[in-house]
């Protein structure tokens, strides 16, 4: 594959994060070899004031693909961003060259969703500054400053969580993979027991999907091992067939 054939890559963040906040390590590592972009989903980051919807999220991803002006893109979605990328795949298949689902291979219709609905309902009752302190403390305990510094400085979009998860929960099953007209890499942290629990069903539902695990990593696998996560994305990107 030549440099001209290198697929553009669009990164889609997870719940409460934003574009450069979650993906700073990947953008820095890949930008010399690929056209790359990271989006702010509705209700997050630079789009904090915009109302959340999966339809609007799909259009944000589509606009990022168009902005790179290199044709269909590899879309990398984490958690909430993974489910948004699945919806994008259904709505705008002509813009998709490949899909990486990271921490987003569990049916959102399962029994575990009850707990997440409870959390989504609880979040608005807790002051945002308290939630921020809890998140900052957790990230500082788990990760080095060079990995999470951008995340902590940018802050969090707690206000969007109820609407975002309210729409995602009950909507996605492995059957959603049949709408993906491109190769798929299911990229999970080995210890992400909840969000990788349906990975085999998701992989079986698509003719060109495979699973790769980041050893010892949890839900935020790109924070736990940035090099391994980036390497997996790079290898998958270079294996994608050329599309017009």
């Amino acid at each position: 594959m030549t440099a001209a054939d290198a697929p553009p890559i669009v990164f889609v963040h997870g719940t409460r994060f934003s574009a450069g906040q979650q993906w700073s390590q990947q953008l820095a590592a890949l930008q010399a070899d690929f056209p790359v972009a990271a989006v702010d989903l509705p209700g997050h980051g630079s789009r904090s004031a915009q109302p959340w919807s999966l339809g609007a999220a799909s259009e944000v991803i589509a606009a990022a693909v168009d902005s790179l002006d290199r044709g269909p893109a590899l879309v990398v979605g984490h958690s909430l961003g993974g489910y948004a990328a699945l919806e994008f795949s259904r709505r705008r298949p002509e813009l998709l060259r490949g899909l990486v689902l990271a921490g987003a291979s569990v049916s959102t219709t399962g029994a575990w969703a009850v707990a997440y609905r409870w959390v989504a309902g609880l979040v608005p009752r807790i002051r945002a500054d308290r939630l921020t302190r809890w998140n900052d403390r957790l990230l500082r305990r788990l990760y080095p400053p060079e990995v999470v510094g951008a995340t902590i400085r940018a802050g969090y979009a707690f206000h969007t969580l109820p609407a975002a998860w309210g729409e995602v929960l009950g909507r996605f099953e492995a059957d959603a993979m049949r709408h993906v007209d491109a190769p798929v890499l299911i990229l999970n942290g080995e210890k992400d027991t909840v969000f990788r629990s349906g990975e085999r069903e998701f992989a079986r539902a698509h003719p060109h999907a495979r699973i790769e695990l980041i050893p010892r990593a949890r839900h935020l696998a790109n924070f736990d091992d940035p090099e391994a996560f980036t390497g997996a994305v790079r290898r998958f990107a270079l294996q994608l067939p050329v599309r017009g």
Side-chain angles (χ1 to χ4, degrees), residues 11-13 19-27 38 78 222 229:
F11 290 90
V12 189
H13 62 79
Q21 186 184 41
Q22 180 166 0
W23 301 114
S24 58
Q25 299 278 309
Q26 283 66 50
L27 294 172
H78 174 262
N222 70 305
F229 189 97

Side-chain angles (χ1 to χ4, degrees), residues 10 16 37 78 84 87 93 114 126 138 177 180 207 218 220 236:
V10 174
R16 77 191 181 279
H78 174 262
E87 183 71 7
V114 174
I126 304 174
L138 177 65
M177 295 285 281
V180 183
R218 293 152 295 197
L220 287 166
F236 183 64

